[in-house]
Amino acid sequence: MTKKQKTAAAWTVVVIAFFGGFALANVQNKVPPCIDVVMMYFNIGETDAGWLTSVFTIMGMVTAIPASVLMRKLGVKKIGVISLACAAVGGIIGAFATDLAVLMATRVLEGVGVGMIAVVGPSVISMWFPAEKRGLPMGLWGSWMMCSQTLLFFIAGGLTVSFGWQGVWWFCVAFCVVVLILYMWKVDEPPEGTPNYAEGENEDEFKFGDGFKSASTWILTLAGTIFTFCCFGFATYISLYWANAFFGGDMNQSNWWVSIMYAIEIPIVIFIGWLLNHIKLKNRRFVGVIGFALYTFILFFCFRMQDPGLLLPFILIYPFLEGAIPTVYWTLCPSTAKSPEYSGTAIGILNVGLNIGTLLGPPVTGFFIENYGWEVATIPLAIAAIVGAITFIFVKTYDHDSSKATARAADIDADMNQAAV
């Protein structure tokens, strides 16, 4: 296989892996665009609606690390197919639910899929791309949530008017099935002879417990947890807030504006990924520090806007601040492992943290909204973002490629010395 063919194959696999994340992000994000309809259908308040958004992350937390281990045994294709199948089955059952408890249970099943796919995507990228080239594909991967939010907030109004909230569920099922077929067709590990940067080169060197010994992985995970706490606390309720504050309760209009905001964020995260390719590995964390620091201000402001004239500036500024953070932590995560064979474990640990943040963000934010009002709900989000900025400062990365080159040089020297003797 020529270099051009390897590059084409790598990008084909990565694009399909991205659509796998896109499909599961749709499953994750399908509640907020129709949250008013769901609340009326099941007669629930903001706190319970927040749990509908986040309860599926329980299984995401449980499956993230086992998925990284199973991936070594089953491969990325089988894990990806299992994750998409779980999401599709959960969506089908959920579309027929008439009881809140049943719908909650299906969200847990869907969470199995989200927990697995979130490990598969970054692992595929780190298998096919060396550390210095991962910024752009990780930027693409980092846009999976924004693509989903753009799409769902744009189409959910029409689907709910025509088919109720179940229409959004069926759309997500269909999306998962299509991507599942693509996964079975194209996604796989690199061919023999292509460096596998995610798993390392010597299977005998892998010891599961050693993957948990990198302090930097845990620090990055804390930063990721804080981000998803803030991000999903914001995203779950922003359309509802704008509908009440600016559009007389019309969720269709507010969903349209939210869709535009996340559409702007898609090219931004890809650009940030490209930019990271031009920043030294050890300095990439500072992009996360700056992103989180600025994110603090807009989170404090998000549920306090009363002037409709501020809406357009907000949707133009917010994507830059939110988009930087996930692009950085996805790009850095494989390199926080002390050696490349533990990159998959590092990604699994990060995903546990991301799911914890997603689990807590919506219900905590909903609790503050329901009991203390919209403005007070911005305070825990802003405080968390300050902690996230500080946390990013202490993230350390390891240059696996240099380490392997040094090891190979040492092996060559040893062989030459032995031959000379």
Side-chain angles (χ1 to χ4, degrees):
M1 185 181 288
T2 66
K3 182 178 180 180
K4 187 175 181 180
Q5 289 173 326
K6 287 180 181 179
T7 301
W11 276 106
T12 299
V13 171
V14 166
V15 168
I16 295 175
F18 158 75
F19 275 101
F22 192 168
L24 270 296
N26 287 339
V27 174
Q28 183 168 346
N29 293 315
K30 63 188 176 184
V31 175
C34 56
I35 193 170
D36 57 334
V37 179
V38 172
M39 288 169 65
M40 289 179 60
Y41 186 90
F42 291 101
N43 192 27
I44 56 176
E46 284 86 352
T47 304
D48 287 335
W51 280 113
L52 261 182
T53 297
S54 61
V55 69
F56 71 95
T57 60
I58 293 173
M59 288 308 297
M61 288 185 288
V62 172
T63 58
I65 293 175
S68 68
V69 177
L70 286 173
M71 190 171 59
R72 297 178 63 85
K73 298 182 180 299
L74 301 179
V76 292
K77 175 180 287 189
K78 290 181 180 178
I79 295 298
V81 167
I82 291 170
S83 69
L84 289 159
C86 287
V89 171
I92 291 170
I93 298 172
F96 290 103
T98 56
D99 180 76
L100 182 62
V102 174
L103 189 61
M104 287 280 191
T106 65
R107 295 292 280 161
V108 173
L109 176 59
E110 290 169 341
V112 175
V114 174
M116 288 185 173
I117 206 72
V119 174
V120 171
S123 296
V124 166
I125 292 170
S126 54
M127 285 176 180
W128 284 89
F129 291 86
E132 70 273 11
K133 297 295 185 182
R134 287 178 195 156
L136 184 56
M138 283 295 188
L140 175 63
W141 171 257
S143 70
W144 62 321
M145 284 293 169
M146 301 81 181
C147 289
S148 166
Q149 289 159 333
T150 300
L151 177 64
L152 289 181
F153 277 106
F154 185 73
I155 68 171
L159 289 173
T160 52
V161 168
S162 300
F163 308 104
W165 61 267
Q166 295 92 337
V168 180
W169 260 244
W170 284 115
F171 171 81
C172 293
V173 169
F175 202 112
C176 285
V177 171
V178 171
V179 178
L180 187 153
I181 294 170
L182 291 175
Y183 246 84
M184 294 176 67
W185 174 46
K186 273 291 182 183
V187 173
D188 215 335
E189 288 86 356
E192 191 71 28
T194 302
N196 189 316
Y197 293 94
E199 296 187 16
E201 297 180 352
N202 190 346
E203 187 70 23
D204 294 335
E205 294 178 358
F206 181 82
K207 297 178 182 178
F208 177 70
D210 288 353
F212 294 85
K213 294 181 180 179
S214 172
S216 187
T217 297
W218 292 102
I219 293 170
L220 184 68
T221 296
L222 176 59
T225 301
I226 292 169
F227 173 74
T228 51
F229 174 87
C230 297
C231 171
F232 283 94
F234 166 84
T236 300
Y237 299 104
I238 190 61
S239 185
L240 185 63
Y241 174 73
W242 285 351
N244 293 332
F246 303 133
F247 302 114
D250 187 349
M251 283 281 288
N252 286 336
Q253 288 193 58
S254 61
N255 281 349
W256 186 80
W257 282 98
V258 173
S259 177
I260 291 175
M261 181 176 68
Y262 285 117
I264 294 171
E265 194 166 338
I266 295 168
I268 289 171
V269 296
I270 295 173
F271 167 75
I272 293 171
W274 173 85
L275 183 65
L276 289 174
N277 276 353
H278 297 79
I279 298 175
K280 290 183 178 180
L281 182 62
K282 65 179 181 179
N283 294 329
R284 292 175 181 178
R285 59 194 164 119
F286 293 112
V287 178
V289 174
I290 296 169
F292 247 134
L294 297 175
Y295 196 37
T296 301
F297 294 100
I298 204 159
L299 286 174
F300 185 75
F301 183 67
C302 66
F303 296 147
R304 297 169 182 266
M305 289 192 302
Q306 298 296 328
D307 182 359
L310 296 175
L311 186 57
L312 183 58
F314 185 94
I315 69 167
L316 292 176
I317 296 171
Y318 183 86
F320 285 91
L321 307 184
E322 183 187 81
I325 302 167
T327 308
V328 173
Y329 65 60
W330 283 123
T331 302
L332 293 183
C333 185
S335 298
T336 62
K338 292 185 176 180
S339 57
E341 58 265 23
Y342 300 115
S343 293
T345 305
I347 293 168
I349 293 170
L350 173 62
N351 274 291
V352 172
L354 299 180
N355 280 293
I356 291 173
T358 306
L359 174 69
L360 297 177
V364 169
T365 305
F367 171 81
F368 278 93
I369 292 170
E370 197 169 341
N371 293 280
Y372 302 104
W374 289 98
E375 291 188 3
V376 175
T378 66
I379 297 175
L381 297 177
I383 292 173
I386 293 171
V387 177
I390 296 170
T391 303
F392 250 114
I393 296 172
F394 299 98
V395 174
K396 179 182 178 182
T397 53
Y398 299 89
D399 192 343
H400 300 155
D401 298 333
S402 295
S403 299
K404 287 192 288 186
T406 302
R408 289 192 190 101
D411 289 342
I412 292 171
D413 288 343
D415 291 342
M416 292 177 66
N417 290 336
Q418 187 176 5
V421 173

